[in-house]
Amino acid sequence: MNLLSGTIAICVSFLLFTYLYGIKALFSVMYHPGLYFFPVTLLIIALGFYGYEYVKYVKLLESRD
């Protein structure tokens, strides 16, 4: 479940980064640097989920030895 949540978070994060880049390029009046807070937060959450799953996977491999 953490992998699914991490994948969704990273996809939405990159979509928002792309959207914000488009706003900056086309409509500089609507652009505000504070809008990057949400995609960066999602990216951090996704990396946390992936890191947690990686640690669980490494522990599983170590227990098999």
Side-chain angles (χ1 to χ4, degrees):
M1 197 65 176
N2 287 331
L3 288 176
L4 179 64
S5 301
T7 303
I8 291 171
I10 206 162
C11 289
V12 171
S13 174
F14 285 134
L15 283 173
L16 287 173
F17 277 126
T18 306
Y19 175 72
L20 289 173
Y21 177 76
I23 286 178
K24 182 179 178 182
L26 296 177
F27 308 108
S28 60
V29 174
M30 295 173 53
Y31 174 74
H32 188 272
L35 294 174
Y36 280 100
F37 177 74
F38 186 63
V40 169
T41 305
L42 282 176
L43 190 60
I44 291 169
I45 289 171
L47 292 175
F49 282 142
Y50 286 134
Y52 177 72
E53 285 296 320
Y54 178 75
V55 168
K56 280 181 26 179
Y57 179 72
V58 168
K59 286 183 181 179
L60 178 68
L61 288 179
E62 289 175 353
S63 67
R64 289 185 180 181
D65 291 338

